Amino acid sequence: MQSNSARPEPTETGPAAALLDALTADAAAMHRDILDLVRIESHSLDAIGLARCAEAVRALAVRLLSEPDAQERVAGTATGPGEVLVLRYAGSGPGHVVVLGHYDTVWPTGTLADWPAGTGPDGLDPLGRATLTGPGIFDMKAGVVQGFWALAALRRAGLAAPTVSYVMTGDEEIGSFASRPTVERVCSAADATLVLEPSADGQVKTGRKGTGLARVRVSGVEAHSGLEPERGASAVHALAEAVGQFVAAARPDLGTTVNVGVISGGSGANVVAGHAEALVDIRVTRPEEPARIDAAFAAVRPRDDRVLLEIDTDWSRPPMLLTEATRPLLAVVESAGRALGREIGHVSVGGASDANFVCALGKPVICGLGAVGAGPHARHEHIRSESVPAQTALLAEILRRLASGLPRS
């Protein structure tokens, strides 16, 4: 695979080369737009920050592309206050493509103030390549900015473009419960969906695990642990026994993992615990695995029949697979990459995204068309600054090739 550490050399003269040249000349402006968006903190539960960031995303679109031909703003909810922006720009060809992203981040408001090395072009990765850093820059504010610049580049060059519906959500990091209906509705009416999640070092993502979250609640009987322990039934002990049974349901050979990530309970060291709770993260690759996991968890029984164990599992995202519907779209991505001097690989990853929903609709979808960098959800989160024009040119060239719709295999 062509490394993104240097400017790729197009294998042909023509539109792709021209797009890359123009976007390379605009690199500094794109970097400024990315950092401006990063400086607006937008944690998934911060209604004020999310509203400011949504306005900034829309303002960026208007500045680069003018007012949308049609727009929709879907309000968030109490548990996911970020609104969904749907901005539609009519194309010069009959194709219709959704460019899907999110502007919320995992970082609590106030993180920016003590971010390591500040937020600017002042870092280097382990190989000495220049980076831009900041909370949410890799996942995925750089991708959001690249998405708008890609269509702007096509328009400035007078090249063909499909109708593009930008769908920007504000609750992806907490499960997309409020935005999912809008994502599914808009994407189901399009020829293809391109998702601006971070790339895998320049590769796109055609597979993602499905996700489930099990909330386990255990109710026991409290008693004094010294005077009359026999009168008690420990919820903590029962949960400890159950944890091993939950983990035993994993099937790594099938791509199914189980992680008990949070445990709490009890009220004191000298009290037989009357309550305990756990949060269990479940990842699956195969569509039939959620039913097996549900059955395995339901079969877990405390040894003490005075203890009540309740499990509520929310399967938030189905698995994303490389389907026959997506293969023609992958071929377009690969051919666009070759025109830019790159071999675009594709991978499956353990994390989930809104691409999972689109795949479950049976629609063509490619994820990981956003930034090149590292450190999602970590303090070393960064993007490689020199990769921004190349990634944006790739997206622009894909859009150009979809102007007449998605070719059929």
Side-chain angles (χ1 to χ4, degrees):
M1 183 184 69
Q2 170 75 40
S3 170
N4 282 301
S5 61
R7 181 184 184 276
E9 291 300 327
T11 57
E12 59 187 52
T13 59
L19 288 168
L20 181 57
D21 286 341
L23 288 163
T24 299
D26 285 328
M30 285 190 283
H31 294 162
R32 285 194 297 271
D33 285 344
I34 290 168
L35 293 175
D36 284 347
L37 202 59
V38 169
R39 291 185 182 108
I40 303 173
E41 295 184 282
S42 52
H43 182 259
S44 304
L45 299 178
D46 178 2
I48 295 174
L50 289 166
R52 290 182 60 228
C53 197
E55 287 298 333
V57 169
R58 188 187 181 283
L60 176 66
V62 170
R63 175 166 64 80
L64 293 174
L65 299 168
S66 77
E67 287 286 342
D69 297 294
Q71 71 172 329
E72 186 178 356
R73 303 183 73 158
V74 182
T77 66
T79 55
E83 69 175 330
V84 185
L85 298 177
V86 183
L87 309 175
R88 187 172 184 267
Y89 290 91
S92 56
H96 180 199
V97 177
V98 171
V99 174
L100 177 59
H102 67 86
Y103 59 88
D104 64 314
T105 80
V106 300
W107 297 102
T109 301
T111 299
L112 189 63
D114 62 354
W115 188 260
T119 303
D122 52 4
L124 297 175
D125 73 3
L127 297 180
R129 296 169 296 200
T131 64
L132 301 174
T133 183
I137 195 167
F138 184 49
D139 186 13
M140 57 175 285
K141 290 185 175 180
V144 169
V145 171
Q146 290 171 182
F148 292 116
W149 270 90
L151 182 57
L154 287 178
R155 287 184 161 192
R156 286 186 303 173
L159 296 171
T163 292
V164 178
S165 292
Y166 290 95
V167 180
M168 298 291 157
T169 71
D171 66 341
E172 192 273 345
E173 296 290 3
I174 54 173
S176 302
F177 296 106
S179 60
R180 179 176 180 175
T182 303
V183 169
E184 292 179 330
R185 172 171 53 82
V186 178
C187 291
S188 66
D191 301 322
T193 298
L194 306 174
V195 185
L196 299 172
E197 290 284 350
S199 74
D201 197 27
Q203 300 180 97
V204 296
K205 300 171 182 177
T206 54
R208 286 182 172 275
K209 287 189 176 183
T211 58
L213 179 66
R215 295 173 175 84
V216 182
R217 299 177 181 86
V218 187
S219 300
V221 179
E222 290 184 333
H224 193 293
S225 64
L227 295 177
E228 46 186 11
E230 71 282 355
R231 290 184 176 273
S234 175
V236 167
H237 294 183
L239 179 57
E241 294 168 0
V243 164
Q245 298 176 69
F246 296 147
V247 174
R251 286 287 305 274
D253 57 314
L254 301 180
T256 301
T257 60
V258 176
N259 179 64
V260 182
V262 177
I263 287 180
S264 62
S267 58
N270 61 347
V271 179
V272 176
H275 70 276
E277 297 183 358
L279 293 177
V280 186
D281 177 88
I282 312 157
R283 305 280 167 148
V284 299
T285 298
R286 300 190 179 189
E288 65 272 15
E289 278 293 274
R292 186 188 68 80
I293 289 291
D294 284 343
F297 280 25
V300 175
R301 294 284 187 273
R303 286 190 295 175
D304 190 324
D305 59 13
R306 294 175 295 170
V307 174
L308 174 65
L309 187 150
E310 300 174 287
I311 304 173
D312 179 19
T313 303
D314 180 11
W315 292 99
S316 57
R317 289 187 172 96
M320 175 189 175
L321 307 171
L322 177 55
T323 65
E324 290 306 310
T326 290
R327 288 190 184 277
L329 180 57
L330 177 60
V332 171
V333 172
E334 291 170 335
S335 65
R338 286 190 292 272
L340 289 162
R342 298 169 59 183
E343 289 296 327
I344 305 296
H346 61 98
V347 298
S348 294
V349 296
S353 81
D354 287 345
N356 294 56
F357 300 140
V358 184
C359 179
L361 296 172
K363 303 294 290 186
V365 57
I366 294 289
C367 195
L369 284 161
V372 177
H377 302 189
R379 288 275 172 169
H380 62 279
E381 181 173 3
H382 65 272
I383 64 169
R384 298 207 325 244
S385 56
E386 92 291 336
S387 71
V388 172
Q391 285 296 99
T392 309
L394 175 64
L395 182 59
E397 179 64 7
I398 295 167
L399 290 174
R400 187 183 73 82
R401 291 171 182 243
L402 294 173
S404 296
L406 180 65
R408 299 302 170 189
S409 57

